[in-house]
């Protein structure tokens, strides 16, 4: 019986190519856009290389100093000493790494200038993150204590600076800003969308021009606190908040008129959201707007799908009348329309899956985002497909139920 319904559904799709195209286009386009969008959001906020521990990491990246009325404010990254004192000391964290925001330098090879993104880190940076070392190894505490002029570079810079195919580069020197550094490791690069790990060159924080000894609360550094398990995150946040609450008013003022200090250890998405929504009201507004946009995005194609389904079923009234005249029960007609809707939804989902794969593969290989690693989010795809299926059934079953209960004469007249 099921195979007969599917054969009928296939014949109906071929008999009305315009309706079929409109329906499949609506389902496929909606799912494809949704899949590409969620892949990009997952690329931005998910746990991926080299931030393979992001799901159990807390980011301490912004220091906000303000007055009690919040009419004046100073905000930015923290200083290295501030993070050593208040973040590096966290006992509930497994590890805490301090690193600078990326900055810029130049190097030259055969008279050609190469613009570099540079980053200064401590030795724990390599444990908190999960970089793949293609050659060599990371610098360690001994290198840092000895202020060794060593660097870790990416494979992209290796290919630019050293002769391509010239063998290992560990142990060779690279000149950056007129200083010769010894390359001790080569890693697979990080996408530029991962701001806190992206760089071309990684220096120990004791390297020249890191300015790690600058005093005060504000500087150019941030910290990532790694929890042993995700369940430890609240206790780390509580310990960090306790550390911040003990900071004296004189230190908060930092030579200014500020009396309030806001520094949080947040999960990555919360940290990102806090950069433009700093209180509960603004965050509620953000979630409301985002929910409305998603509802509209899913709702408009659904309304289109409802209209197409209703028109398609009403147009088949005479067919229903003939089948009823030959003894087809109402339940059989109803099941036929249900299977037709499920069938066409799955076809649309298959088209969407193929289109999403092609678009994501194109983005990954285009070079628009270096080291891009967008992937299809299977749970999101299944949920979206289920939503389309629900809308398809709702839009198809109700008119089908109505049509299946028509008397034969009325159906034939329709």
């Amino acid at each position: 019986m099921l195979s007969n319904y599917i054969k009928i559904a296939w014949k109906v799709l071929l008999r009305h190519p315009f309706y079929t195209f409109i329906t499949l286009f609506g389902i496929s386009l909606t799912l494809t856009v949704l899949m590409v969008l969620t892949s990009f959001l997952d690329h931005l906020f998910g746990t991926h290389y080299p931030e393979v521990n992001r799901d159990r990491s807390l980011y301490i990246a912004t220091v906000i100093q303000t007055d009690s009325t919040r009419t004046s404010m100073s905000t930015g990254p923290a200083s290295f000493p501030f993070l050593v004192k208040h973040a590096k000391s966290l006992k509930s964290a497994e590890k805490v790494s301090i690193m600078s925001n990326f900055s810029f330098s130049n190097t030259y090879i055969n008279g050609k200038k190469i613009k570099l993104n540079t980053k200064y880190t401590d030795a724990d940076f390599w444990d908190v993150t999960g970089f793949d070392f293609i050659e060599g190894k990371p610098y360690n505490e001994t290198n840092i204590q000895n202020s060794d002029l060593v660097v870790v570079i990416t494979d992209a810079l290796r290919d630019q600076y050293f002769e391509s195919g010239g063998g290992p580069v560990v142990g060779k020197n690279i000149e950056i800003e007129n200083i010769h550094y010894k390359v001790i490791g080569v890693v697979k690069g990080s996408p530029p969308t991962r701001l806190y790990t992206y760089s071309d060159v990684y220096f120990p924080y004791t390297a020249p021009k890191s300015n790690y000894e600058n005093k005060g609360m504000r500087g150019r550094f941030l910290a990532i606190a790694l929890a042993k398990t995700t369940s430890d995150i609240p206790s780390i946040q509580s310990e960090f908040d306790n550390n911040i609450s003990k900071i004296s008013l004189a230190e908060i003022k930092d030579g200014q008129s500020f009396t309030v200090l806001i520094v949080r250890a947040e999960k990555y998405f919360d940290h990102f959201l806090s950069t433009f929504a700093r209180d509960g009201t603004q965050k509620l507004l953000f979630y409301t707007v985002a929910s409305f946009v998603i509802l509209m995005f899913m709702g408009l194609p659904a309304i289109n799908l409802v209209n197409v389904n209703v028109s398609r079923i009403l147009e088949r009234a005479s067919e229903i009348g003939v089948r009823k005249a030959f003894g087809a029960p109402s339940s059989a007609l109803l099941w036929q329309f249900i299977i037709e809707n499920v069938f066409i939804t799955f076809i649309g989902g298959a088209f969407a899956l193929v289109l999403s794969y092609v678009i994501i593969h194109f983005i990954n290989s285009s070079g628009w985002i270096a080291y891009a690693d967008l992937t299809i989010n299977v749970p999101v795809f299944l949920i979206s497909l289920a939503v389309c299926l629900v809308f398809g059934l709702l839009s198809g079953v109700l008119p089908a139920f109505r049509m299946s209960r028509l008397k034969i004469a009325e159906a034939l007249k329709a």
Side-chain angles (χ1 to χ4, degrees):
M1 183 66 73
L2 180 61
S3 62
N4 288 334
Y5 285 158
I6 293 176
K7 288 178 183 176
I8 294 172
W10 178 250
K11 294 293 183 184
V12 169
L13 294 182
L14 295 179
R15 192 174 63 190
H16 300 285
F18 179 72
Y19 283 144
T20 303
F21 171 76
I22 294 295
T23 305
L24 289 178
F25 181 78
I27 295 172
S28 303
L29 182 65
T30 302
L31 289 178
T32 299
V33 174
L34 193 63
M35 290 305 301
V36 174
L37 181 62
T38 54
S39 296
F40 188 68
L41 292 175
D42 181 58
H43 171 83
L44 289 178
F45 302 114
T47 299
H48 298 291
Y49 178 87
E51 297 181 42
V52 294
N53 298 315
R54 184 178 275 183
D55 58 335
R56 55 187 180 100
S57 296
L58 291 170
Y59 292 77
I60 305 167
T62 306
V63 174
I64 301 173
Q65 295 165 281
T66 182
D67 56 28
S68 57
T69 59
R70 302 199 177 191
T71 53
S72 61
M73 180 181 293
S74 176
T75 180
S79 68
F80 190 87
F82 177 87
L83 292 172
V84 169
K85 183 177 181 181
H86 302 293
K88 199 77 174 176
S89 59
L90 289 170
K91 295 181 175 59
S92 53
E94 180 180 333
K95 291 229 175 187
V96 177
S97 172
I98 300 176
M99 67 218 70
S100 68
N101 281 321
F102 70 81
S103 52
F104 305 97
S105 292
N106 295 318
T107 186
Y108 296 85
I109 182 69
N110 299 326
K112 179 184 176 184
K113 183 169 77 173
I114 302 174
K115 294 181 179 180
L116 299 175
N117 296 294
T118 59
K119 184 176 286 292
Y120 299 87
T121 81
D122 60 9
D124 290 328
F125 176 77
W126 305 107
D127 297 323
V128 169
T129 58
F131 277 93
D132 291 338
F133 273 80
I134 301 170
E135 294 181 38
K137 60 184 180 181
Y139 39 80
N140 54 31
E141 282 296 339
T142 302
N143 297 124
I144 290 174
Q145 295 303 320
N146 294 336
S147 299
D148 293 338
L149 298 178
V150 295
V151 292
V152 171
I153 64 175
T154 63
D155 53 344
L157 177 58
R158 176 198 61 186
D159 295 341
Q160 277 188 288
Y161 190 86
F162 297 100
E163 182 181 355
S164 180
V169 301
V170 169
K172 294 183 179 180
N173 287 337
I174 181 171
E175 183 180 352
I176 301 174
E177 302 291 353
N178 299 318
I179 300 174
H180 289 271
Y181 295 90
K182 181 180 177 181
V183 177
I184 64 170
V186 179
V187 295
K188 175 188 171 186
S190 169
T193 46
R194 278 153 213 161
L195 300 177
Y196 299 141
T197 51
Y198 170 67
S199 184
D200 297 307
V201 186
Y202 300 88
F203 301 93
Y205 68 82
T206 49
K209 302 181 181 180
S210 77
N211 300 320
Y212 79 98
E213 292 176 310
N214 285 0
K215 304 299 181 184
M217 303 183 73
R218 295 273 305 285
R220 56 186 298 199
F221 289 88
L222 61 126
I224 298 178
L226 181 65
K228 294 174 184 174
T229 64
T230 54
S231 60
D232 290 337
I233 286 177
S235 60
I236 296 173
Q237 290 175 313
S238 177
E239 184 184 357
F240 181 73
D241 291 343
N242 187 50
N243 288 353
I244 296 301
S245 67
K246 294 178 181 176
I247 296 176
S248 67
L249 181 60
E251 190 176 353
I252 293 173
K253 285 185 173 180
D254 199 19
Q256 306 291 326
S257 59
F258 305 123
T259 56
V260 178
L261 174 67
I262 303 172
V263 191
R264 297 190 183 97
E266 300 173 299
K267 300 198 74 172
Y268 186 79
F269 182 76
D270 294 333
H271 162 65
F272 172 81
L273 187 58
S274 296
T275 57
F276 58 91
R278 290 176 175 163
D279 56 40
T281 303
Q282 292 178 342
K283 289 182 180 178
L284 179 61
L285 178 62
F286 169 81
Y287 285 118
T288 303
V289 172
S291 300
F292 178 75
V293 170
I294 293 173
L295 183 63
M296 290 298 294
F297 177 76
M298 292 294 294
L300 291 177
I303 293 172
N304 172 61
L305 188 60
V306 168
N307 290 330
V308 171
N309 272 339
V310 170
S311 301
R312 183 166 59 88
I313 292 171
L314 292 178
E315 186 264 348
R316 295 170 62 189
S318 57
E319 174 194 334
I320 293 171
V322 171
R323 293 194 62 191
K324 286 177 73 72
F326 281 92
S330 298
S331 60
L333 295 172
L334 187 60
W335 273 111
Q336 177 186 333
F337 284 110
I338 290 174
I339 292 172
E340 281 184 18
N341 277 282
V342 173
F343 185 61
I344 198 169
T345 301
F346 281 142
I347 292 177
F351 277 128
L353 196 60
V354 173
L355 282 174
S356 301
Y357 175 80
V358 171
I359 293 173
I360 287 173
H361 178 73
F362 177 73
I363 294 174
N364 285 339
S365 58
S366 65
W368 293 344
I369 304 174
Y371 301 104
D373 53 3
L374 276 69
T375 56
I376 291 177
N377 192 313
V378 176
V380 170
F381 173 75
L382 294 178
I383 292 172
S384 304
L385 188 64
V387 171
C388 288
L389 193 60
V390 169
F391 277 114
L393 288 175
L394 289 177
S395 62
V397 169
L398 293 179
F401 179 75
R402 177 187 165 195
M403 295 299 295
S404 67
R405 295 183 65 83
L406 282 178
K407 294 180 179 178
I408 296 174
E410 294 175 344
L412 291 173
K413 288 179 182 177

